[in-house]
Amino acid sequence: MAITAIKGFNDILPEESGRWQHIEQAARRVFELNGFAEIRVPVMEKTELFSRSIGDATDIVEKEMYTFTDKGDNSVTLRPEGTAGVMRAFIEHKLYAQDPVAKLYYMGPMFRYERPQKGRYRQFHQIGAEITGVHDPLADAQVLTMLVSFFREIGLTEPVLQINSLGCPDCRPAYREALLAFLEGRLEHLCEDCRRRFTTNPLRTLDCKVPRCVEATAGAPSVLEHLCGGCGEHFAAVQGYLESIGTPYTINPRMVRGLDYYTRTTFEMVTGLLGSQSAVAAGGRYDGLISQLGGPAIPGIGFAMGVERVALLLGEQDFSSRPDLFIATMGAGERAFAFRLMQELLGLGVRVELDYEGKSLKSQMRRADKLGARYSVVVGGNEAASGRAFFKRMEDGIQIEVPLAADDIAKLFL
Ligand code: HAM
């Protein structure tokens, strides 16, 4: 029996890879315009990095990590997200030594053992960006606006931006207490997971999709009403900056994130088009993470988008590349001639395809059609001898006579 891929691990086939490249190139363009530089970090890290940053009581660390012991008896984990590894590298290489403000972006596969469904996979891909070293809410506004402009750049009006603030270690404990007091009387209405979360991670009950939990927590106290002075001012300033430049957003006080490192601003780009996988991108501020990982007390903020989800939103648009010209040949001699011509045209940047195997003219023309070539030309004995041939524009069948010389042919495509 043929071997298949692991469940939840996908192949990106050629018909789809054009869409992925479109997304990746737009991200590079927008991020680099904003002064971000790419960082590439390993896909596997010491397990401790993720338990210390994402948090022991999160679903990711509790249930979803691909963790195993390697041959040297070390516990290692395939990265479930990008921020922890990027911050580990930031600290390890002292990227802050000259300037604590670093603007970094990354792209690549992440791994979570979740139940696969549309938009949710076990190997998935993120494109993320992080700014370190800025306490000012300007950094929040810059990151959010860059994310929104990325979606504009690729031509999507969905998803939309939702923001919230989760406060800081000064004000969150009081909110936690208020939430616990509220939940205590409703415990029997909560699902089993949420009853467990009540003791481990009560904020996550606000995020539960089970209908009875949504109902039971409907009147829960709002985190925004418990922010301390500093966090309240920060959140108001973020909104002020966003409004000053017309970046659209809504406030969602029930947004809690599945990772523990967040402080103050959190956000998601949300869509109604992907069923329950509504977050296309997400992120937030993590002012305590770098010091928690053994680095200096430098703040940070960033986001990551799920490339599979962005690709789904782009739908059926065709991003595959088509050849400019298909050269059909009548015999072995012409094939050798066409092969030389092809190399010269490739050198001039013209995308050329030809028949490699001496197939019938009919089947060569079928292939030209299938590949979506813009022009085709038939090179037989006459054409090779006269040095001229008719180039057929495939969309309307119009024929143009052109010398069989690379420079002349290339002019068709300028
Ligand atoms: P996250 O919310 O866990 O945040 O993931 C970010 C995005 O990755 C999600 O919004 C979603 O689009 C995509 N994603 C997550 N899990 C899956 C999955 N199983 N299948 C497909 N797509 C998925 C983080 O990972 C943070 N590191 C974001 C961040 C960066 N915060 C600050 N900086």
Side-chain angles (χ1 to χ4, degrees):
M1 211 166 66
I3 298 169
T4 56
I6 302 169
K7 184 175 172 194
F9 285 61
N10 298 316
D11 301 306
I12 310 302
L13 301 177
E15 65 203 38
E16 230 185 309
S17 58
R19 195 170 315 148
W20 281 60
Q21 288 171 3
H22 175 73
I23 296 167
E24 288 163 3
Q25 283 159 7
R28 288 183 191 281
R29 216 163 37 241
V30 173
F31 296 179
E32 286 175 16
L33 179 71
N34 279 270
F36 286 70
E38 186 177 8
I39 182 166
R40 301 187 186 200
V41 295
V43 294
M44 199 155 70
E45 300 272 0
K46 294 177 182 165
T47 301
E48 188 193 353
L49 173 67
F50 301 115
S51 48
R52 250 215 263 169
S53 54
I54 299 169
D56 280 325
T58 57
D59 283 355
I60 297 178
V61 173
E62 266 185 357
K63 309 193 263 204
E64 297 170 0
M65 294 207 303
Y66 279 88
T67 296
F68 61 97
T69 308
D70 71 8
K71 291 194 166 61
D73 223 16
N74 309 298
S75 178
V76 293
T77 296
L78 288 176
R79 62 181 182 189
E81 59 106 49
T83 312
V86 170
M87 291 307 135
R88 193 262 315 131
F90 176 80
I91 298 165
E92 187 168 339
H93 304 286
K94 296 194 173 54
L95 297 189
Y96 51 82
Q98 287 188 347
D99 184 357
V101 182
K103 294 178 172 180
L104 305 167
Y105 79 87
Y106 52 90
M107 43 184 79
M110 309 288 160
F111 306 85
R112 296 183 193 176
Y113 195 84
E114 295 193 78
R115 206 158 39 79
Q117 52 176 259
K118 183 180 170 192
R120 189 167 73 193
Y121 311 101
R122 289 182 174 169
Q123 173 178 289
F124 61 98
H125 295 75
Q126 285 187 344
I127 301 179
E130 318 282 350
I131 302 191
T132 60
V134 188
H135 284 283
D136 198 280
L138 259 185
D140 309 42
Q142 157 109 26
V143 159
L144 288 169
T145 302
M146 182 170 88
L147 183 56
V148 169
S149 41
F150 163 80
F151 283 102
R152 279 202 197 124
E153 173 90 5
I154 58 167
L156 289 176
T157 47
E158 283 261 356
V160 295
L161 174 63
Q162 293 188 348
I163 62 172
N164 193 20
S165 174
L166 292 181
C168 67
D170 286 340
C171 53
R172 203 178 307 158
Y175 174 64
R176 196 173 182 275
E177 286 309 313
L179 185 62
L180 285 174
F182 171 87
L183 292 173
E184 206 161 17
R186 293 167 175 78
L187 271 182
E188 77 270 26
H189 302 298
L190 300 180
C191 73
E192 201 178 311
D193 266 348
C194 280
R195 260 177 268 158
R196 193 171 42 80
R197 287 177 186 134
F198 176 78
T199 38
T200 57
N201 203 346
L203 268 67
R204 292 292 295 176
T205 57
L206 299 179
D207 196 32
C208 183
K209 305 275 190 305
V210 176
R212 51 196 254 240
C213 295
V214 175
E215 204 177 305
T217 61
S222 162
V223 63
L224 295 177
E225 280 155 20
H226 291 78
L227 296 182
C228 61
C231 288
E233 277 165 32
H234 186 97
F235 194 48
V238 173
Q239 293 171 59
Y241 284 129
L242 291 178
E243 273 153 35
S244 75
I245 52 169
T247 301
Y249 69 90
T250 54
I251 296 176
N252 176 4
R254 288 179 64 96
M255 182 204 303
V256 289
R257 305 274 303 116
L259 304 94
D260 279 356
Y261 50 61
Y262 291 114
T263 50
R264 295 193 163 173
T265 316
T266 53
F267 52 92
E268 290 184 350
M269 296 292 296
V270 181
T271 177
L273 302 175
L274 297 179
S276 57
Q277 308 313 313
S278 57
V280 182
R285 188 169 263 286
Y286 44 86
D287 291 348
L289 176 62
I290 295 172
S291 57
Q292 212 173 302
L293 290 176
I298 293 177
I301 177 166
F303 63 78
M305 67 182 90
V307 183
E308 285 81 357
R309 293 183 191 179
V310 180
L312 281 169
L313 283 185
L314 278 178
E316 296 308 309
Q317 285 179 64
D318 183 15
F319 294 100
S320 53
S321 61
R322 305 181 326 166
D324 295 312
L325 174 65
F326 187 92
I327 308 179
T329 49
M330 304 287 270
E334 288 86 41
R335 216 160 44 247
F337 172 85
F339 181 68
R340 281 195 306 278
L341 186 59
M342 176 189 188
Q343 303 313 315
E344 286 176 39
L345 284 166
L346 291 175
L348 296 175
V350 179
R351 271 187 271 213
V352 186
E353 284 284 342
L354 52 64
D355 164 54
Y356 294 101
E357 293 170 296
K359 294 238 170 79
S360 72
L361 193 55
K362 201 166 153 203
S363 92
Q364 292 187 55
M365 294 321 287
R366 257 205 309 270
R367 180 141 184 270
D369 250 344
K370 204 165 133 207
L371 293 171
R374 291 168 61 199
Y375 280 83
S376 67
V377 62
V378 179
V379 179
N382 287 346
E383 286 80 6
S386 71
R388 299 184 74 79
F390 282 98
F391 286 71
K392 179 166 142 192
R393 197 158 68 191
M394 300 294 275
E395 61 178 16
D396 53 15
I398 286 177
Q399 308 234 19
I400 309 164
E401 195 180 9
V402 178
L404 277 175
D407 285 336
D408 292 301
I409 299 169
K411 286 187 195 133
L412 282 174
F413 305 101
L414 294 178

Coordinates of all heavy atoms in Angstrom, one line a residue, residues 60 80-84 106 112 114 119-126 128-130 257-259 261-262 268-269 277 279-286 301-309, ligand 1:
I60 N -2.2 24.7 24.6 CA -1.1 24.3 23.7 C -0.1 23.5 24.5 O 0.3 22.4 24.1 CB -0.4 25.6 23.2 CG1 -1.3 26.4 22.4 CG2 0.9 25.3 22.5 CD1 -0.8 27.8 21.8
P80 N 5.2 25.2 18.6 CA 3.8 25.4 18.3 C 3.5 26.8 17.9 O 2.4 27.1 17.5 CB 3.2 25.1 19.7 CG 4.3 25.4 20.7 CD 5.6 25.2 20.0
E81 N 4.5 27.7 18.0 CA 4.3 29.1 17.6 C 5.7 29.7 17.4 O 6.7 29.1 17.8 CB 3.5 29.8 18.6 CG 4.1 29.8 20.0 CD 4.7 31.2 20.4 OE1 4.0 32.2 20.3 OE2 5.8 31.2 20.9
G82 N 5.7 31.0 16.9 CA 7.0 31.6 16.6 C 7.6 32.5 17.6 O 8.9 32.6 17.7
T83 N 6.8 33.1 18.4 CA 7.3 34.2 19.3 C 8.4 33.7 20.3 O 9.4 34.4 20.5 CB 6.2 34.9 20.1 OG1 5.1 35.1 19.2 CG2 6.6 36.1 20.8
A84 N 8.2 32.6 20.9 CA 9.1 32.1 21.9 C 10.5 31.9 21.3 O 11.5 32.3 21.9 CB 8.6 30.8 22.6
Y106 N 9.1 36.6 10.5 CA 9.4 35.2 10.3 C 8.3 34.5 9.6 O 7.2 35.0 9.6 CB 9.8 34.5 11.6 CG 8.7 34.7 12.6 CD1 7.6 33.8 12.8 CD2 8.7 35.8 13.5 CE1 6.6 34.0 13.7 CE2 7.7 36.0 14.4 CZ 6.7 35.1 14.5 OH 5.7 35.3 15.4
R112 N 0.9 21.8 16.1 CA 0.1 21.6 17.3 C -0.8 20.4 17.0 O -1.4 20.2 16.0 CB -0.9 22.8 17.5 CG -0.1 24.1 17.8 CD -1.1 25.3 18.1 NE -0.3 26.5 18.0 CZ -0.8 27.7 18.2 NH1 -2.1 27.9 18.3 NH2 0.0 28.8 18.1
E114 N -3.8 19.3 17.3 CA -5.2 19.7 17.4 C -6.1 18.7 16.6 O -5.5 18.0 15.7 CB -5.4 21.1 17.0 CG -4.7 22.1 17.8 CD -5.2 23.5 17.5 OE1 -6.3 23.9 18.0 OE2 -4.5 24.3 16.8
G119 N -9.3 24.7 8.0 CA -8.6 25.9 8.7 C -7.8 25.5 9.9 O -7.2 26.4 10.5
R120 N -7.9 24.3 10.3 CA -7.1 23.9 11.5 C -6.3 22.6 11.2 O -6.9 21.6 10.9 CB -8.0 23.7 12.7 CG -7.3 23.5 14.0 CD -8.2 23.6 15.2 NE -9.0 22.4 15.3 CZ -10.1 22.4 16.1 NH1 -10.5 23.4 16.8 NH2 -10.8 21.3 16.1
Y121 N -5.0 22.7 11.3 CA -4.2 21.5 10.9 C -3.2 21.3 12.0 O -3.0 22.0 13.0 CB -3.5 21.8 9.6 CG -4.5 22.4 8.6 CD1 -4.6 23.7 8.3 CD2 -5.4 21.5 8.0 CE1 -5.6 24.2 7.4 CE2 -6.4 21.9 7.1 CZ -6.5 23.3 6.8 OH -7.4 23.8 6.0
R122 N -2.4 20.2 11.9 CA -1.4 19.8 12.9 C -0.1 20.4 12.5 O 0.7 20.8 13.4 CB -1.3 18.3 13.1 CG -2.6 17.8 13.8 CD -2.7 16.4 14.0 NE -3.8 16.1 14.8 CZ -4.3 14.9 15.1 NH1 -3.7 13.8 14.6 NH2 -5.4 14.7 15.8
Q123 N 0.2 20.4 11.2 CA 1.3 21.3 10.7 C 0.6 22.4 10.0 O -0.1 22.2 9.1 CB 2.3 20.6 9.8 CG 3.3 21.6 9.2 CD 4.3 21.0 8.3 OE1 5.2 20.3 8.7 NE2 4.2 21.3 7.0
F124 N 0.9 23.7 10.5 CA 0.3 24.8 9.8 C 1.4 25.8 9.7 O 2.5 25.6 10.2 CB -0.9 25.4 10.5 CG -0.6 25.8 11.9 CD1 -0.4 27.2 12.2 CD2 -0.5 24.9 13.0 CE1 -0.1 27.6 13.5 CE2 -0.2 25.3 14.3 CZ 0.0 26.7 14.5
H125 N 1.1 26.9 9.0 CA 2.2 27.9 8.7 C 1.8 29.3 9.2 O 0.7 29.7 9.0 CB 2.5 28.0 7.2 CG 3.0 26.7 6.7 ND1 2.2 25.6 6.5 CD2 4.3 26.3 6.4 CE1 3.0 24.5 6.1 NE2 4.2 25.0 6.0
Q126 N 2.8 29.9 9.9 CA 2.5 31.3 10.3 C 3.5 32.3 9.6 O 4.6 31.9 9.3 CB 2.8 31.4 11.8 CG 1.7 30.8 12.7 CD 1.9 31.1 14.2 OE1 3.0 31.4 14.6 NE2 0.9 30.9 15.0
G128 N 4.8 35.9 10.9 CA 4.6 36.7 12.1 C 5.6 37.9 12.1 O 6.6 37.9 11.4
A129 N 5.3 38.9 13.0 CA 6.2 40.0 13.1 C 6.2 40.5 14.6 O 5.2 40.4 15.3 CB 5.7 41.2 12.2
E130 N 7.4 40.9 15.0 CA 7.5 41.3 16.4 C 8.3 42.6 16.5 O 9.3 42.8 15.8 CB 8.3 40.3 17.3 CG 7.9 38.8 17.0 CD 6.6 38.3 17.6 OE1 6.1 39.1 18.5 OE2 6.1 37.2 17.3
R257 N -6.6 35.3 25.1 CA -5.8 34.6 24.2 C -5.3 33.3 24.8 O -5.3 33.1 26.0 CB -4.6 35.5 23.8 CG -5.0 36.9 23.3 CD -5.2 36.9 21.8 NE -4.0 36.4 21.1 CZ -4.0 35.3 20.3 NH1 -5.0 34.6 20.2 NH2 -2.9 35.0 19.7
G258 N -4.9 32.3 23.9 CA -4.6 31.0 24.3 C -3.1 30.9 24.8 O -2.6 29.8 25.0
L259 N -2.4 32.0 25.0 CA -1.0 32.0 25.4 C -0.9 32.9 26.6 O -1.6 34.0 26.6 CB -0.1 32.4 24.3 CG -0.2 31.6 23.0 CD1 -1.2 32.3 22.0 CD2 1.1 31.5 22.3
Y261 N 1.6 34.7 27.8 CA 2.6 35.8 27.9 C 2.0 37.2 27.7 O 2.8 38.2 27.8 CB 3.8 35.5 27.1 CG 3.6 35.2 25.6 CD1 3.0 36.0 24.7 CD2 4.1 33.9 25.1 CE1 2.9 35.7 23.4 CE2 4.0 33.6 23.8 CZ 3.4 34.5 22.9 OH 3.2 34.2 21.6
Y262 N 0.8 37.3 27.4 CA 0.3 38.6 27.0 C 0.0 39.6 28.2 O -0.4 39.2 29.2 CB -1.0 38.5 26.2 CG -0.8 37.9 24.8 CD1 -1.4 36.6 24.5 CD2 0.0 38.5 23.9 CE1 -1.1 36.1 23.3 CE2 0.2 38.0 22.6 CZ -0.4 36.8 22.3 OH -0.2 36.2 21.1
E268 N -7.1 40.4 17.4 CA -7.3 39.3 16.5 C -7.9 39.9 15.2 O -8.6 40.9 15.3 CB -8.3 38.3 17.0 CG -7.7 37.4 18.1 CD -8.6 36.3 18.6 OE1 -9.8 36.2 18.2 OE2 -8.1 35.5 19.4
M269 N -7.5 39.4 14.1 CA -8.2 39.7 12.8 C -9.2 38.6 12.6 O -8.8 37.4 12.5 CB -7.2 39.7 11.6 CG -6.1 40.8 11.7 SD -6.7 42.5 11.6 CE -7.3 42.5 9.9
Q277 N -13.1 28.5 12.8 CA -11.7 29.0 12.8 C -11.7 30.5 12.4 O -11.3 30.9 11.3 CB -10.9 28.2 11.8 CG -10.9 26.7 12.1 CD -10.8 26.3 13.5 OE1 -9.9 26.8 14.2 NE2 -11.7 25.5 14.0
A279 N -10.2 33.2 13.7 CA -9.0 34.1 13.8 C -8.1 33.8 12.7 O -7.5 32.7 12.6 CB -8.4 33.9 15.2
V280 N -7.9 34.8 11.8 CA -6.9 34.6 10.7 C -5.5 35.1 11.1 O -4.5 34.6 10.6 CB -7.4 35.5 9.5 CG1 -6.5 35.3 8.3 CG2 -8.8 35.1 9.1
A281 N -5.5 36.0 12.1 CA -4.2 36.5 12.6 C -4.5 36.9 14.0 O -5.6 37.3 14.4 CB -3.7 37.6 11.8
A282 N -3.5 36.9 14.9 CA -3.7 37.3 16.3 C -2.4 37.6 16.9 O -1.3 37.2 16.5 CB -4.3 36.1 17.0
G283 N -2.5 38.4 18.0 CA -1.2 38.8 18.7 C -1.5 39.7 19.9 O -2.6 39.8 20.4
G284 N -0.4 40.3 20.3 CA -0.6 41.2 21.5 C 0.8 41.6 22.0 O 1.8 41.2 21.5
R285 N 0.7 42.3 23.1 CA 1.9 42.9 23.8 C 2.3 41.8 24.8 O 1.5 41.1 25.4 CB 1.5 44.2 24.5 CG 2.6 45.0 25.0 CD 2.1 46.4 25.4 NE 2.5 47.3 24.4 CZ 3.7 47.8 24.2 NH1 4.7 47.4 24.9 NH2 3.9 48.7 23.2
Y286 N 3.6 41.7 25.0 CA 4.2 40.8 26.0 C 5.4 41.4 26.7 O 6.5 41.1 26.5 CB 4.6 39.4 25.3 CG 5.3 39.6 24.0 CD1 6.7 39.8 24.0 CD2 4.7 39.6 22.8 CE1 7.4 39.9 22.8 CE2 5.4 39.8 21.6 CZ 6.7 39.9 21.6 OH 7.4 40.1 20.4
I301 N 5.8 43.4 21.3 CA 4.5 43.3 20.8 C 4.6 42.7 19.4 O 5.5 43.0 18.6 CB 3.7 44.6 20.8 CG1 2.3 44.4 20.2 CG2 4.4 45.7 20.1 CD1 1.3 45.5 20.5
G302 N 3.6 41.8 19.0 CA 3.7 41.3 17.7 C 2.4 40.5 17.4 O 1.5 40.4 18.1
F303 N 2.5 39.8 16.2 CA 1.3 39.0 15.8 C 1.8 37.9 14.9 O 2.9 37.9 14.4 CB 0.3 39.9 15.0 CG 0.9 40.4 13.7 CD1 1.0 39.6 12.6 CD2 1.3 41.7 13.6 CE1 1.6 40.1 11.4 CE2 1.9 42.2 12.5 CZ 2.0 41.4 11.3
A304 N 0.9 36.9 14.7 CA 1.2 35.9 13.6 C -0.1 35.6 12.9 O -1.2 35.6 13.5 CB 1.7 34.6 14.2
M305 N 0.0 35.4 11.6 CA -1.2 35.0 10.8 C -1.1 33.6 10.4 O 0.0 33.1 10.3 CB -1.4 35.9 9.6 CG -0.3 35.8 8.6 SD -0.6 36.9 7.2 CE 0.4 38.3 7.8
G306 N -2.2 32.9 10.2 CA -2.2 31.5 9.8 C -2.3 31.6 8.2 O -3.3 32.0 7.7
V307 N -1.2 31.1 7.6 CA -1.2 31.2 6.1 C -2.3 30.4 5.5 O -2.9 30.8 4.5 CB 0.2 30.8 5.6 CG1 0.2 31.0 4.1 CG2 1.3 31.6 6.2
E308 N -2.6 29.2 6.0 CA -3.7 28.4 5.4 C -5.0 29.1 5.4 O -5.8 29.1 4.5 CB -3.8 27.1 6.2 CG -2.8 26.0 6.0 CD -1.5 26.3 6.8 OE1 -1.4 27.3 7.5 OE2 -0.6 25.4 6.7
R309 N -5.2 29.9 6.6 CA -6.5 30.6 6.7 C -6.5 31.8 5.7 O -7.6 32.0 5.1 CB -6.7 31.0 8.1 CG -6.9 29.8 9.0 CD -7.2 30.2 10.5 NE -7.1 29.0 11.3 CZ -7.3 28.9 12.6 NH1 -7.6 30.0 13.2 NH2 -7.2 27.8 13.2
Ligands
HAM1 P1 -2.0 32.1 18.0 O1 -3.3 32.8 18.2 O2 -1.9 30.9 18.8 O3 -0.9 33.2 18.4 O4 -1.8 31.8 16.5 C1 -1.8 32.8 15.5 C2 -2.6 32.4 14.3 O5 -2.1 31.1 13.8 C3 -4.1 32.1 14.5 O6 -4.8 33.3 14.5 C4 -4.4 31.2 13.3 O7 -4.6 32.0 12.1 C5 -3.1 30.4 13.1 N1 -3.2 29.1 13.7 C6 -3.1 28.7 15.0 N2 -3.3 27.4 15.2 C7 -3.6 26.9 13.9 C8 -3.8 25.6 13.4 N3 -3.8 24.5 14.2 N4 -4.1 25.4 12.1 C9 -4.1 26.5 11.3 N5 -3.8 27.8 11.7 C10 -3.5 28.0 13.0 C11 0.4 32.9 18.3 O8 0.9 31.9 17.8 C12 1.3 34.0 18.8 N6 2.7 33.6 18.7 C13 1.1 35.3 18.0 C14 1.9 36.4 18.4 C15 3.1 36.9 17.9 N7 1.7 37.1 19.6 C16 2.7 38.0 19.7 N8 3.5 37.8 18.7

